[in-house]
Amino acid sequence: MSALGRHGIQVTQATLSRDLASLGVGKLPGRDGRAVYSLPSPATEVVDRHRQELDLKSFINEIRLAGQLLIVRTPPGHANGVARAIDLLCSTDVVGSVAGDDTILVVTPSAARARAFRRQLESLADAGSSLAR
């Protein structure tokens, strides 16, 4: 924290620890026995469950089917976060996703799997929202 402070960055220990954990940074014993920070290899992102749920509940405006594809609409600037949350679901119904600014293309193996995944997304989305079918 003192190194950050020397660069004009003020942060609490709790915030720093939470941010480092979110990035996948861990502590390991160094050669001299003192703890050192270690970056994951290969680089990974760890998104906490709360953030993933927030993205899926708050930012899905519309879900449309097009054969084995899903088109997911979000508010401007939120498609990337929602696409990442979708990818982190690790669903066997999803082959992959591509995000723009406010639109996500989700590719599934079949039309039936697309329908199943749409139902899953709808159940995760905010109960008060009106999703297009």
Side-chain angles (χ1 to χ4, degrees):
M1 281 189 2
S2 59
L4 292 172
R6 287 193 297 274
H7 293 313
I9 300 170
Q10 300 300 315
V11 64
T12 66
Q13 181 63 48
T15 299
L16 181 60
S17 295
R18 186 173 44 253
D19 290 348
L20 288 172
S22 173
L23 293 170
V25 176
K27 280 187 179 181
L28 297 173
R31 291 185 179 150
D32 62 359
R34 293 178 15 172
V36 295
Y37 288 102
S38 172
L39 295 174
S41 181
T44 61
E45 176 186 5
V46 177
V47 176
D48 66 18
R49 199 82 171 134
H50 177 72
R51 173 60 192 257
Q52 182 183 19
E53 289 173 7
L54 176 67
D55 284 343
L56 294 172
K57 285 183 180 186
S58 301
F59 301 122
I60 293 178
N61 290 342
E62 178 182 15
I63 303 170
R64 291 197 140 154
L65 280 173
Q68 70 186 62
L69 306 174
L70 287 160
I71 307 300
V72 180
R73 299 294 307 242
T74 72
H78 290 282
N80 197 329
V82 173
R84 182 71 178 137
I86 287 170
D87 291 344
L88 290 172
L89 289 173
C90 299
S91 173
T92 58
D93 289 329
V94 175
V95 174
S97 66
V98 179
D101 183 56
D102 63 355
T103 305
I104 305 160
L105 172 67
V106 181
V107 180
T108 67
S110 68
R113 301 277 286 277
R115 288 188 300 274
F117 190 66
R118 181 182 69 179
R119 285 190 299 275
Q120 181 182 0
L121 281 182
E122 288 172 343
S123 72
L124 294 170
D126 188 16
S129 68
S130 57
L131 299 175
R133 298 190 193 271

